[in-house]
Structures are given as structure tokens and as C-alpha cells.
Amino acid sequence: MYPSVETNHEPPPTAPPEMPQPPQTTAPALVVGPTVHVMPSLGPNVSVLQVPPSIPAPWSTGLFDCYDDIDNCCMTCFCPCITFGQIAEIVDHGSISCCASSSLYTGLMFLTGCHWLYSCFYRKKLRGHFFLEDSPCGDCCVHCCCEPCALCQEHRELRLRGLDPSFGWHGNLARQTTMIPLTIGGMTR
């Protein structure tokens, strides 16, 4: 009677069950800041503001918060070369020792009086490493006018980020590796 038609009885392909498909509805997004993402899972009118990584982060403490760490404040006041050496060793990841950078800083301080240029270079490296803002003014201006305060701020920043400059680079590495528990074998009940 009717011509036979071959039919495919396989179900249509679908996405794997572990990857749910997002809903097809779009909620209106209001552009308020650098980037606004609509989050349909949170509701149709909820958007989340995300700051792009191109905006530098503020320093953890202010330039004149020297008394937050009184020990470092006194050390920097009487012997800034030691504070600088500790900072330089951490910022350079141990490639230069505290003693070597302290000696160079001291030599520049007594021979030329332009030690702040050397420390300014390390402030810039520290800012680049942690993507910190150039505040309250440029690195050279901060170190030229407020050298002890700048060194104290850099020391506090490293300490608040989990790197204690008084331990040195290798001491911080040893501290971090002993704090990470090693599990040998698989997980057991």
C-alpha cells in the first residue's frame, strides 16, 4: 500500500548529564561600572560587577602607618639598610642576598646620598609583582621624600601577604613547605 520508509529509532543527541545547559532567557544588564555580568542563576534582575585586572589594587596599609609594626619602624629608623635588604631579597626571589643588597644600599647612602633611587627601583618591582597602585604619588617621589615610611610600608605589605622579610626568601619557602600537609596515597575512609 504505502512505500516503506526507514526510520531511525535512535534518540536525538543531547548534552551529557554533567553539563547542564544554561537557560535561554536573557535578563537586561545595566552597565554601571567596568564590567557587568548578568547572573541568571541568581535571578533575572541580578547582575554582578567584576573589576577587570587592569585596575591596580590599593596598598594594604597607608604610607604613614609606620607604627602598625613598631619593631620594624625602629629598625628602619636606625638602620634602613637592613629593612631594605630584607625587602630586596624577597622581591628578587632570593637571587640577591639581604647582606649584598644592604651593603650596596649603605654604600650608595654614604657615597652619593642617592640610595632612594635604588630602593625606588625595588618599590616598583614590588608594585608590579602584587599589582599595587602607584600611591600616594610616584615611587621615586615617595622614596625621595619619605624613605623610612616607604620601606616600612613595603615591609608591612610583604608581611601581610604571607612573606615575612625577616625570614628571608629561603626561610619563607621552608615555612610554606612545612605548612602544606603532604598526603601520600589515596583518600581513605
Side-chain angles (χ1 to χ4, degrees), residues 88-150:
E89 183 177 1
I90 298 293
V91 170
D92 277 343
H93 303 287
S95 65
I96 187 168
S97 71
C98 174
C99 185
S101 55
S102 293
S103 299
L104 185 55
Y105 181 89
T106 304
L108 287 170
M109 184 169 51
F110 287 121
L111 295 176
T112 66
C114 293
H115 54 287
W116 56 271
L117 285 172
Y118 186 45
S119 57
C120 163
F121 171 72
Y122 276 94
R123 183 177 179 91
K124 184 173 179 153
K125 284 177 82 172
L126 177 72
R127 280 191 323 98
H129 184 68
F130 292 118
F131 204 61
L132 297 167
E133 61 187 15
D134 195 9
S135 69
C137 53
D139 297 332
C140 287
C141 184
V142 168
H143 274 274
C144 179
C145 299
C146 306
E147 176 75 7
C149 295

Side-chain angles (χ1 to χ4, degrees), residues 27-92:
L30 174 64
V31 178
V32 177
T35 306
V36 176
H37 295 281
V38 177
M39 302 296 290
S41 62
L42 299 176
N45 296 324
V46 177
S47 55
V48 177
L49 178 67
Q50 290 185 339
V51 178
S54 62
I55 298 174
W59 288 81
S60 301
T61 60
L63 181 63
F64 301 110
D65 294 338
C66 298
Y67 292 111
D68 287 353
D69 184 359
I70 196 70
D71 293 336
N72 179 267
C73 179
C74 292
M75 174 65 75
T76 305
C77 181
F78 296 112
C79 200
C81 56
I82 292 176
T83 302
F84 172 76
Q86 292 172 346
I87 293 167
E89 183 177 1
I90 298 293
V91 170
D92 277 343

